[in-house]
Amino acid sequence: MVGFVVPAAQASDRELHLAAAPYPPLTTIAKDGYLDRTVQEAFARAGIGLTYQATSPSRGLMGSLTGEFDGYFATPELDVPILEPLVRVPETIYTGKAGGVYLRDDIMMMNREYLNGYRVGYVKGWKQAEDTLQDVPDLYPAESSRRLMDMLVKGRIDVAYMYFLQARYQAQQDGISGIKFSEHSFDTDLYIHLSAEHTDLVQDLAAAIRQMKADGTMENILAPAVMKWGPK
């Protein structure tokens, strides 16, 4: 898969090959999502060459440990012992709100415990969701957010546990009406993680992201997504 490449005039002699899971509209296989553009700009400002490819979270994270990739985005803080060697760039690139998404009128979701009576789906490999849902008795993993919404529409699950922005986006793309959102939710900060051998680049990338926040670039990139599909 051909990756996005920072133009040669901007890139240094360091070029990293990262992985990212496709979560449209934030990250896409075409690499034109809102977070794709954010990360591309951050690397360009830091003077670091960048290529990356879309892959699953498990392959992306494990590949960042084995040398297949130089890092992974976008993911929450990693608290899995095996992933401790990965180094987090200490500036958020996005904060997403997630919770239960459903279609049925008879479902009432006031808190997380309400999930226990339903068939609940989630995107496989999302550890924060897996931890949150570990006591839910009837769980169904899906390979992607699109597949998860398809399972919801076809009645194979009662509740899709996912980012609200992704749910609204996918519903619009597929012509799904009447989606509802749980009153309970949680915010997830997403970051770039690099393999340990690139620790020396962490502060340069953090400074670039801070600069993007200060001069309004990050808000300008993300604002259209938030306006269309963000919290209502």
Side-chain angles (χ1 to χ4, degrees):
M1 185 178 295
V2 178
F4 173 93
V5 182
V6 176
Q10 294 178 309
S12 70
D13 57 355
R14 295 282 292 276
E15 180 172 285
L16 304 191
H17 181 56
L18 269 59
Y23 289 122
L26 300 176
T27 56
T28 70
I29 292 177
K31 302 176 179 63
D32 57 1
Y34 297 94
L35 278 186
D36 290 317
R37 293 167 54 200
T38 299
V39 173
Q40 291 161 10
E41 176 67 16
F43 270 76
R45 290 193 184 202
I48 305 167
L50 171 66
T51 66
Y52 65 93
Q53 75 179 61
T55 187
S56 66
S58 58
R59 180 187 168 192
L61 290 169
M62 294 307 296
S64 298
L65 291 174
T66 62
E68 181 181 5
F69 305 109
D70 295 309
Y72 180 91
F73 77 91
T75 184
E77 289 190 55
L78 303 174
D79 58 0
V80 182
I82 195 175
L83 298 176
E84 285 181 0
L86 299 182
V87 183
R88 178 171 59 91
V89 177
E91 285 290 334
T92 59
I93 56 174
Y94 179 74
T95 299
K97 186 178 292 294
V101 179
Y102 51 100
L103 294 168
R104 287 168 41 188
D105 292 330
D106 62 326
I107 293 178
M108 294 285 291
M109 295 188 60
M110 311 294 288
N111 55 47
R112 201 217 62 80
E113 283 66 33
Y114 278 69
L115 290 168
N116 292 342
Y118 300 106
R119 298 169 299 165
V120 180
Y122 66 98
V123 177
K124 184 179 179 181
W126 181 15
K127 187 178 184 303
Q128 190 170 9
E130 290 174 345
D131 289 345
T132 300
L133 302 173
Q134 61 182 330
D135 296 326
V136 176
D138 208 1
L139 285 179
Y140 297 83
E143 294 299 323
S144 66
S145 58
R146 180 157 199 169
R147 175 61 178 156
L148 187 61
M149 287 292 286
D150 183 60
M151 291 165 65
L152 182 66
V153 170
K154 291 180 177 178
R156 294 174 182 166
I157 57 174
D158 304 306
V159 178
Y161 209 76
M162 61 191 303
Y163 288 113
F164 290 166
L165 183 146
Q166 284 182 315
R168 291 189 177 98
Y169 170 81
Q170 201 63 60
Q172 183 185 76
Q173 294 296 108
D174 296 343
I176 302 168
S177 60
I179 60 171
K180 303 170 179 63
F181 302 88
S182 62
E183 292 190 25
H184 85 88
S185 63
F186 64 87
D187 291 337
T188 301
D189 293 330
L190 301 182
Y191 301 89
I192 301 169
H193 284 79
L194 301 181
S195 56
E197 66 184 288
H198 301 298
T199 300
D200 61 312
L201 300 178
V202 165
Q203 292 307 317
D204 289 342
L205 282 169
I209 295 168
R210 285 194 297 271
Q211 183 186 64
M212 290 171 63
K213 292 175 180 178
D215 66 19
T217 300
M218 184 170 289
E219 182 178 359
N220 288 340
I221 292 173
L222 295 174
V226 174
M227 289 178 63
K228 283 184 178 180
W229 306 293
K232 306 300 182 185

